[in-house]
Amino acid sequence: MQSGISASKELHSAFQTLVSSPNQRGLLCTIDKESLTPLTALEPSTSSFADDLSLLAPHLLHNVALYIILRRYSASETAPFIAVTYVPDSAPVRQKMLFASTRLTLVRELGIERFRETIFATTKEELTKEGFDKHDKHVKLEAPLTEEERSLGDVKRKEAEEGGGMSQRKSHVASGVSMPITEEALSALKRLAGGSGDNLIQLKINISTETLELASSSDAPISTLSSTISATEPRLSFYRYTHEYNGSTSSPILFIYTCPSGSKVKERMIYAASSRSAVQVAAAEADLIVDKRIEASDPDDISAESIDADLHPKAEVKKAFERPKRPGRK
């Protein structure tokens, strides 16, 4: 799911000001008329990130979504900023989905190499000193970017230095890879693409780091597929479906997005907004091309019959027009 929204010239300008202005702690952004636009800068900043979080308080409303860019680390570091998507539970449903589906666009267009991590928050308390302390206990901040992302970030910065322009805005995301993935998960997708190993790869999203991880790798016949996919947590699954149809055998790759009704609201939004990214990552990084996408609330909704109906829809047979008989004739 992608929103089609892009960053405005005003946002690019405001972000460059933030990058070059140590007296600014952050930048607030919103979506206005199909465009990411700046709202206000958070200033003046002090030497304490924790103390400066008080600058956020007046802007965090209980029913309005917001993007927040914060300078958390020294400007001398590779990625000094973090990007926060603040989507309170009381915000309108359409606004929730729009902000969730556009959050990757924000860091993509401003330059993913500038951001140490992205955070998804639903309450004001998560964006206080205590909230960040709790967050840090669950996230290893020393290496939030993969080695590949760091290397690509260095290349982009060198291009910017040599060209003196805005080339740092572009990143590997622009080529279609919009979400980090662990090596374990990537290796499993590559094996599936090569036709070796298991035929079902289930991915999950680490909500704290918004990284694709391997949930499980298994060999599942179509008869046990629904019971093999997790019934309690959302999953982004890739399945090689080997079957016969009209006398010929084929093995299409299916992408199956499942989100059980009991999933948390934050999980539902992040998975819904990231399913397309998973397909892009598989294609760009593992040469795994999806032939058919399937979405279901629960794995029980998936069966050989439903998949076959999607893959091989029956042609509609139209009856020939019959001229009505004239009155009085038998």
Side-chain angles (χ1 to χ4, degrees), residues 53-269:
L53 288 174
S54 61
L55 296 171
L56 271 177
H59 304 284
L60 300 178
L61 304 180
H62 75 282
N63 59 352
V64 178
L66 191 67
Y67 290 123
I68 306 164
I69 300 172
L70 296 173
R71 185 198 308 276
R72 190 173 187 188
Y73 307 98
S74 169
S76 62
E77 296 205 21
T78 302
F81 298 100
I82 63 173
V84 179
T85 301
Y86 172 65
V87 182
D89 291 336
S90 298
V93 173
R94 183 179 182 279
Q95 190 179 81
K96 287 182 180 180
M97 299 307 298
L98 189 60
F99 271 72
S101 63
T102 308
R103 77 197 193 289
L104 292 177
T105 301
L106 181 70
V107 296
R108 175 191 306 164
E109 298 209 4
L110 296 182
I112 197 171
E113 69 275 6
R114 295 278 191 181
F115 294 88
R116 177 75 72 92
E117 66 172 338
T118 60
I119 297 174
F120 199 103
T122 58
T123 66
K124 300 177 183 180
E125 289 72 25
E126 292 176 80
L127 301 179
T128 62
K129 178 182 180 302
E130 293 73 22
F132 271 95
D133 286 344
K134 184 177 180 180
H135 170 77
D136 291 347
K137 290 179 181 178
H138 293 85
V139 181
K140 185 178 180 181
L141 295 178
E142 297 80 58
L145 297 178
T146 64
E147 197 63 41
E148 180 184 10
E149 288 173 323
R150 282 195 290 273
S151 297
L152 286 167
D154 290 338
V155 170
K156 292 303 178 183
R157 279 188 293 280
K158 288 178 181 177
E159 289 177 349
E161 292 170 1
E162 293 173 2
M166 289 287 290
S167 59
Q168 71 270 20
R169 282 172 46 192
K170 298 180 180 179
S171 70
H172 71 288
V173 182
S175 64
V177 182
S178 25
M179 202 169 200
I181 184 171
T182 64
E183 285 299 323
E184 183 184 26
L186 186 58
S187 296
L189 292 179
K190 288 180 178 178
R191 289 193 297 272
L192 183 63
S196 61
D198 299 325
N199 67 348
L200 174 62
I201 307 300
Q202 295 185 59
L203 302 185
K204 62 182 180 180
I205 298 177
N206 184 316
I207 301 299
S208 297
T209 61
E210 294 192 22
T211 300
L212 289 168
E213 299 179 348
L214 180 65
S216 69
S217 175
S218 59
D219 195 65
I222 188 63
S223 59
T224 65
L225 179 61
S226 62
S227 60
T228 305
I229 296 176
S230 175
T232 58
E233 297 179 350
R235 286 290 183 264
L236 305 171
S237 303
F238 293 83
Y239 183 62
R240 182 180 295 280
Y241 179 38
T242 301
H243 67 294
E244 289 189 4
Y245 182 75
N246 282 349
S248 60
T249 301
S250 62
S251 299
I253 297 295
L254 310 180
F255 172 74
I256 306 172
Y257 162 52
T258 51
C259 189
S261 56
S263 303
K264 298 178 181 178
V265 174
K266 182 185 288 189
E267 287 180 337
R268 296 174 71 87
M269 287 193 292

